């Protein structure tokens, strides 16, 4: 729209404008997802014995009929029983006050079948909140395009009726008879070709074993016993039990076993009146639902060529139910964003700005005291991405210390090229420590980092700068020392990770060098996290800290790494030999940056002046809270827990959906237990979580077998929030020890929205209009230091005016948007800079300058704030609170100032870069001057 109204604006400039407005308008909302309304489908209400895998099955269901509610124009609803006539020419309903001949609708008069609330009757205020969008549909009929508006009990009933009616409208009742019962023709021909390959002599039947293996090969996760049982059931029903499997039975068995109803109904939602997706249908699904950018028709044709099993489907560009299932199960529809499979974060920041994958006691296989030592444990940890390895050194025979440097040297950079930190724990004499130092230099050679730290620097070098280097963490021993106290890592110097004793945060701030590192017992670290959360975060902005398990964990159990990541602790040492929840979190977390062992910490934990408390229980300044919507749809091929003997082969699964992060984000919800068809259960349950610090949040699915003796673990998957992909996704499940379970998945739908609007269709993103009194204004906090508070108090009005401007412009543009359709950001931009350009720019300039001035003036107090506060009588907790409020205020002003500055630049940019190339036409529009 903007391009048409302003043809003089270059495409490049338009792109810049769109990106800028997106950034500014959503700076506080943080929405990463498209604002288009998501389609949702319910899958659990159809009787378990109904096989909705074809148009013919839909017709059969419609002929039996079902109860739905008919909606009148006066917003009243009446329950009626609707059914399709056996001749498929009329749709009837009963009971009715009308003559039975009038309570019917001729199929050939139907113009269109609309899914959802797409008519004025269904969108009326009196009804919009009484039923979900996916439970409604409308039949448009007659020359006057009247509507029959219906509401079903669940979405799968709607899907069945919509599929059947659309097919009848498009192809007529005669085409239905051509289709084989229970399957579409494209699918039938492909399944038949599979049968013919197994019957080269054309005998017309194959043995049970061969038939079972064919279906097993097409669906690797399916149990052979289940396939054989289905064949025997069908043979018995047709009174041919014990004979070979003929084509009809083979086709019917395949369709019943291999059609996932949840995927069939999903296909129905996007299919244009057919039982398959053409390239345009697929474009809509991939673009709107899966959130893939830049979707083209050729891209979708390639998906068909890659995943459609039938030759006919590939030749005609059709994706059948089998091809659609293969596509959804492929890596292209994995829940994990593939860009995070490679290093994708900035690796040029100081080492202290990263979380570092760390191992504790890797050489012990079982526990701290009785575990056996094994070199393979070092290799395993390094191959899993560990970048901080604890190495225990013992006295050996012939004055040779026992240390496994050779194997570490061999595997140090096999999985990651970024620096490896060796944390030496020496239990050997001083002479053998000196021998050990010589061995380290000799064996590691050029890999060993021995350059002394730069005294003029304030931070450690970056992982990028230290690529291929091994750093030694240990205590130095004075060269003239003759006793056995202390440790030595090299003959004369210690490098970038010198171990020092921690005393307190104030002493560290005064005396600790940036290359010195403190180790914390988890008990002490927990105490600091609870009593001094802000100090701990501030300390870790500059220094590396290592947290190790308490010696009381004699079973080598693991601490929760999130307890210390939230404080900014970079190195949280884990017992890699002990599987479970904590290792799941650790390994899942470090996948997000190519599993290189380094993950960039949240910006709010890195910036010199920023407010963050490790125990935050609410939203944070400058960080946009997100709403995560998860629908757990189904499970596939869930195995019986290993070693379990209860209930035979029966699995009764349920799922926990967990959020791990800062205290404000930690939550969990669970599904119901599915007692029947437990290895392929349908859950169809939706959950919602608010994520206040997305950069530090992780999502975990854990599947358990419900048992009266004790619930047993089936599988789990942990993924960082930043790696989630939206749309319909399959989740691969891992065993207790971390191996992926073959062909075992969960099928889920993921949507992420900003907190404003709550993800509701009628409160979607920018369409929320708030009154002035109801608006939430971000304000500064009182520090208790008079001169500082007077400065920050001057920012109150600019902050309020900035909020009002954004809300007023957005709500003015969306006020007339009665149908709640998504509003293009370019429309908002055009509206803002055509109707309000002078007002907006003047206000932006004024408030940006004021916020900038106040923020910069406030930074002048940073170095002396502690002294000024103490001079005014603040001490202890009051002084600490003043420091926290100061950091909060600086963060708020920084965010507001940057937001205003970004949007302020673009009208100026437009004028500077286009004024010499624009001409004003007689119609009052701009046009580009070609010369």
């Amino acid at each position: 729209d903007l391009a048409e109204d302003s043809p003089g604006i270059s495409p490049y400039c338009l792109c810049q404008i769109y990106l800028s407005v997106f950034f500014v308008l959503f700076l506080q909302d943080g929405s990463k997802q498209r604002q288009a309304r998501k389609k949702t489908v319910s899958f659990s209400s159809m009787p378990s014995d109904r096989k909705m895998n074809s148009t013919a099955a839909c017709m059969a269901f419609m002929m039996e009929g079902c109860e739905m509610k008919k909606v009148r124009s006066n917003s009243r609803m009446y329950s009626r029983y609707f059914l399709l006539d056996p001749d498929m020419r009329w749709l009837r309903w009963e009971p009715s006050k009308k003559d039975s001949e009038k309570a019917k609708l001729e199929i050939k008069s139907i113009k269109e079948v609309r899914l959802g609330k797409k008519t004025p009757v269904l969108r009326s205020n009196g009804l919009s909140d009484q039923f979900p969008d996916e439970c409604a549909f409308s039949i448009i009929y007659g020359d006057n395009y009247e509507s029959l508006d219906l509401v079903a009990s669940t979405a799968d009933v709607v899907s069945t009726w919509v599929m059947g009616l659309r097919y009848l409208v498009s192809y007529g009742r005669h085409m239905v008879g051509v289709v084989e019962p229970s399957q579409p023709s494209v699918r039938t021909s492909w399944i038949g070709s599979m049968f013919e390959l197994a019957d080269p002599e054309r005998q017309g039947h194959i043995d049970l074993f061969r038939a079972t293996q064919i279906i097993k090969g097409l669906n690797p996760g399916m149990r052979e016993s289940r396939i054989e049982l289905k064949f025997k059931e069908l043979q018995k029903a047709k009174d041919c039990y014990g004979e070979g499997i003929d084509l009809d039975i083979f086709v019917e068995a395949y369709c019943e076993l291999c059609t996932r109803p949840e995927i069939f109904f999903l296909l129905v939602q996007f299919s244009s009146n057919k039982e398959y997706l053409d390239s345009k249908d697929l474009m809509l699904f991939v673009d709107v639902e899966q959130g893939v950018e830049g979707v083209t028709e050729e891209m979708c044709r390639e998906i068909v060529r890659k995943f459609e099993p039938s030759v006919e489907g590939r030749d005609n560009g059709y994706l059948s139910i089998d091809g659609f299932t293969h596509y959804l199960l492929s890596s292209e529809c994995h829940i994990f964003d593939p860009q995070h499979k490679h290093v994708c974060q900035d690796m040029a920041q100081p080492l202290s700005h990263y979380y570092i994958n760390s191992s504790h006691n890797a050489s012990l296989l079982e526990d701290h005291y009785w575990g056996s030592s094994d070199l393979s444990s070092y290799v395993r940890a390094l191959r899993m991405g560990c970048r901080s390895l604890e190495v225990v050194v013992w006295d050996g025979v012939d004055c040779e210390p026992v240390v496994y440097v050779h194997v570490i040297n061999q595997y140090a950079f096999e999985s990651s090229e970024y620096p490896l930190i060796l944390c030496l724990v020496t239990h050997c004499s001083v002479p053998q420590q000196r021998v050990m130092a010589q061995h380290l230099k000799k064996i590691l050679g050029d890999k060993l980092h021995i350059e002394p730290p730069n005294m003029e620097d304030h931070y450690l070098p970056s992982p990028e700068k230290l690529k291929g280097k091994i750093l030694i963490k240990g205590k130095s021993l004075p060269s003239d020392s003759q006793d056995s106290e202390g440790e030595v890592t090299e003959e004369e110097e210690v490098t970038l990770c010198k171990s020092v004793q921690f005393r307190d945060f104030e002493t560290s701030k005064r005396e600790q060098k940036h290359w010195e590192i403190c180790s914390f017992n988890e008990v002490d670290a927990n105490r600091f996290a609870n009593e001094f959360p802000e100090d701990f975060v501030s300390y870790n902005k500059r220094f590396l800290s290592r947290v190790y398990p308490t010696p009381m964990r004699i079973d080598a159990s693991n601490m929760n790494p999130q307890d210390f990541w939230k404080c900014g602790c970079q190195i949280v040492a884990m017992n890699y030999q002990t599987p479970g929840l904590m290792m799941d979190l650790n390994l899942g977390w470090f996948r997000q940056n190519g599993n290189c062992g380094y993950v960039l910490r949240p910006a709010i934990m890195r910036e010199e002046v920023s407010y963050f408390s490790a125990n935050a229980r609410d939203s944070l300044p400058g960080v946009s809270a997100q709403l995560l919507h998860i629908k757990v749809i189904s499970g596939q091929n869930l195995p019986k827990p290993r070693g379990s003997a209860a209930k035979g082969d029966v699995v009764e699964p349920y799922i926990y959906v967990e959020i791990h992060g800062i205290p404000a984000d930690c939550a969990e919800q669970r599904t119901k237990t599915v007692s029947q068809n437990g290895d392929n259960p349908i859950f169809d349950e939706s959950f919602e979580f608010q994520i206040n610090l997305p950069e530090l949040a992780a999502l975990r699915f854990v599947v358990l077998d419900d048992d009266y003796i004790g619930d047993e673990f089936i599988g789990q998957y942990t993924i960082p929030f930043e790696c989630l992909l939206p749309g319909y996704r399959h989740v691969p499940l891992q065993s207790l020890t971390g191996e992926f379970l073959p062909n075992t998945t969960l099928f889920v739908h993921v949507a992420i929205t900003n907190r404003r609007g709550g993800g509701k269709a009628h409160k979607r993103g920018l369409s929320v209009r708030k009154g002035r009194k109801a608006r939430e204004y971000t304000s500064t906090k009182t520090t208790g230091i008079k001169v500082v508070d007077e400065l920050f108090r001057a920012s109150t009005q600019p902050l309020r005016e900035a909020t009002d401007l954004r809300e007023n412009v957005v709500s003015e543009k969306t006020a007339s948007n009665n149908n709640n359709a998504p509003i293009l950001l370019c429309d908002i931009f055009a509206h803002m800079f055509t109707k309000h350009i002078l007002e907006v720019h003047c206000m932006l300039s004024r408030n940006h300058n004021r916020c900038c001035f106040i923020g910069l003036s406030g930074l002048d107090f940073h170095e002396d704030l502690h002294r000024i506060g103490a001079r005014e009588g603040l001490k202890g907790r009051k002084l600490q609170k003043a420091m926290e409020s100061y950091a909060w205020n600086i963060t708020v002003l920084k965010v507001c100032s940057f937001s205003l500055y970004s949007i302020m630049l673009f009208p100026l940019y437009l004028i500077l870069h286009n004024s010499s190339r624009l001409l004003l036409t007689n119609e009052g529009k701009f046009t580009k001057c070609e010369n």
Side-chain angles (χ1 to χ4, degrees), residues 392-452:
V392 184
V393 187
W394 304 90
D395 271 333
V397 297
D398 299 327
C399 294
E400 285 288 333
V402 180
V403 58
Y404 307 116
V405 183
H406 284 288
V407 70
I408 293 171
N409 180 57
Q410 182 179 353
Y411 294 97
F413 300 105
E414 182 179 284
S415 296
S416 173
E417 59 185 346
Y418 292 101
L420 172 65
I421 301 173
L422 295 184
C423 302
L424 297 183
V425 179
T426 57
H427 296 292
C428 58
S429 61
V430 172
Q432 292 205 18
Q433 288 184 43
R434 299 191 187 280
V435 174
M436 173 191 67
Q438 294 172 2
H439 286 335
L440 288 172
K441 282 188 173 181
K442 180 179 179 181
I443 296 171
L444 299 180
D446 292 340
K447 295 177 185 174
L448 186 64
H449 187 276
I450 58 175
E451 294 180 16

Side-chain angles (χ1 to χ4, degrees), residues 87-104:
D87 63 1
M88 292 182 282
R89 292 177 55 190
W90 297 91
L91 173 63
R92 299 180 181 273
W93 56 92
E94 54 188 30
S96 174
K97 294 181 180 179
K98 296 180 179 179
D99 188 303
S100 60
E101 287 302 308
K102 293 183 179 180
K104 65 180 183 179

Side-chain angles (χ1 to χ4, degrees), residues 509 608-609 857-866 883 886:
K509 185 176 180 179
E608 182 69 22
V609 181
S857 300
L859 283 174
D860 291 340
F861 292 107
H862 177 53
E863 295 295 332
D864 295 328
L865 190 65
H866 194 279
M883 302 287 284
Y886 169 81

Side-chain angles (χ1 to χ4, degrees), residues 66-296:
C66 68
E67 186 177 284
M68 293 188 284
K69 292 183 178 180
K70 181 181 177 184
V71 184
R72 299 287 298 275
S73 58
N74 59 6
S75 297
R76 293 184 179 180
M77 295 191 290
Y78 302 88
S79 292
R80 296 288 184 263
Y81 196 85
F82 289 82
L83 72 161
L84 180 68
D85 264 3
D87 63 1
M88 292 182 282
R89 292 177 55 190
W90 297 91
L91 173 63
R92 299 180 181 273
W93 56 92
E94 54 188 30
S96 174
K97 294 181 180 179
K98 296 180 179 179
D99 188 303
S100 60
E101 287 302 308
K102 293 183 179 180
K104 65 180 183 179
L105 181 64
E106 192 171 14
I107 298 297
K108 70 178 183 181
S109 70
I110 297 176
K111 307 294 185 182
E112 182 188 352
V113 182
R114 296 180 186 173
L115 185 65
K117 304 172 187 176
K118 299 292 176 57
T119 63
V121 171
L122 291 177
R123 284 204 302 261
S124 63
N125 293 331
L127 293 173
S128 59
D129 294 330
Q130 294 187 28
F131 48 86
D133 188 75
E134 60 266 28
C135 288
F137 71 104
S138 301
I139 302 171
I140 311 301
Y141 65 94
D143 295 335
N144 295 325
Y145 286 82
E146 300 176 71
S147 68
L148 174 61
D149 300 294
L150 302 173
V151 177
S153 56
T154 55
D156 47 8
V157 174
V158 172
S159 298
T160 303
W161 279 92
V162 170
M163 176 71 171
L165 289 172
R166 283 179 174 175
Y167 196 92
L168 286 173
V169 170
S170 297
Y171 301 107
R173 62 191 182 92
H174 300 293
M175 287 299 296
V176 179
V178 175
V179 181
E180 290 289 331
S182 303
Q183 60 275 335
S185 57
V186 173
R187 194 182 199 195
T188 303
S189 61
W190 170 68
I191 299 172
S193 68
M194 295 294 102
F195 182 88
E196 291 172 1
L197 288 174
D199 182 27
E201 292 84 14
R202 298 295 186 267
Q203 296 179 1
H205 59 82
I206 57 177
D207 59 61
L208 177 63
F209 175 78
R210 188 178 302 179
T212 301
Q213 292 306 309
I214 294 172
I215 293 183
K216 171 76 172 175
L218 294 171
N219 294 270
M222 193 172 293
R223 288 184 285 114
E224 293 183 12
S225 59
R226 183 182 174 202
I227 302 172
E228 291 179 0
L229 180 61
K230 177 56 65 177
F231 277 129
K232 291 175 182 178
E233 286 177 356
L234 293 175
Q235 284 183 314
K236 186 176 181 180
K238 297 188 177 184
D239 201 23
C240 55
Y241 186 77
E243 300 177 9
I245 306 298
D246 62 22
L247 176 60
D248 290 343
I249 289 179
F250 183 82
V251 170
E252 189 172 353
Y254 179 89
C255 289
E256 291 198 17
L257 288 168
C258 304
T259 303
R260 286 172 50 184
E262 70 273 30
I263 292 182
F264 174 74
F265 284 126
L266 182 58
L267 181 143
V268 168
Q269 297 288 345
F270 288 87
S271 173
S272 301
N273 308 327
K274 299 171 285 293
E275 293 188 346
Y276 52 79
L277 300 174
D278 60 25
S279 56
K280 293 189 184 300
D281 297 332
L282 194 54
M283 280 184 69
L284 180 65
F285 176 77
V286 175
D287 179 32
V288 173
E289 202 55 74
Q290 303 299 84
V292 177
E293 298 292 339
V295 182
T296 64

Side-chain angles (χ1 to χ4, degrees), residues 396 431 481 579 649 745 844 849:
S481 176
D649 291 332
T745 56
L844 286 172
N849 292 338

Side-chain angles (χ1 to χ4, degrees), residues 252-417:
E252 189 172 353
Y254 179 89
C255 289
E256 291 198 17
L257 288 168
C258 304
T259 303
R260 286 172 50 184
E262 70 273 30
I263 292 182
F264 174 74
F265 284 126
L266 182 58
L267 181 143
V268 168
Q269 297 288 345
F270 288 87
S271 173
S272 301
N273 308 327
K274 299 171 285 293
E275 293 188 346
Y276 52 79
L277 300 174
D278 60 25
S279 56
K280 293 189 184 300
D281 297 332
L282 194 54
M283 280 184 69
L284 180 65
F285 176 77
V286 175
D287 179 32
V288 173
E289 202 55 74
Q290 303 299 84
V292 177
E293 298 292 339
V295 182
T296 64
E297 200 164 348
E298 176 55 34
M299 183 190 301
C300 293
R301 282 194 289 265
E302 180 58 31
I303 292 175
V304 173
R305 288 192 288 267
K306 188 174 181 181
F307 297 105
E308 173 55 37
S310 70
V311 176
E312 183 181 354
R314 292 196 297 270
D315 290 345
N316 293 293
Y318 299 153
L319 196 65
S320 68
I321 179 63
D322 299 290
F324 193 39
T325 303
H326 294 162
Y327 168 63
L328 288 173
L329 280 168
S330 73
S331 60
E332 295 188 26
C333 291
H334 193 291
I335 194 173
F336 189 92
D337 189 340
Q339 74 170 352
H340 288 275
K341 293 182 179 180
H342 311 282
V343 175
C344 57
Q345 296 179 345
D346 178 9
M347 302 302 289
Q349 300 208 27
L351 209 62
S352 59
H353 286 185
Y354 298 84
Y355 296 115
I356 304 173
N357 199 351
S358 176
S359 168
H360 176 69
N361 272 349
S363 60
L364 298 185
L365 293 181
E366 298 166 7
D367 53 56
H368 291 328
Y369 293 99
W370 296 284
S372 56
S373 181
D374 183 27
L375 287 180
S376 64
S377 297
Y378 284 123
V379 177
R380 178 173 176 268
L382 289 170
R383 283 178 168 170
M384 293 172 73
C386 178
R387 293 288 86 194
S388 175
L389 198 65
E390 185 178 63
V391 180
V392 184
V393 187
W394 304 90
D395 271 333
V397 297
D398 299 327
C399 294
E400 285 288 333
V402 180
V403 58
Y404 307 116
V405 183
H406 284 288
V407 70
I408 293 171
N409 180 57
Q410 182 179 353
Y411 294 97
F413 300 105
E414 182 179 284
S415 296
S416 173
E417 59 185 346

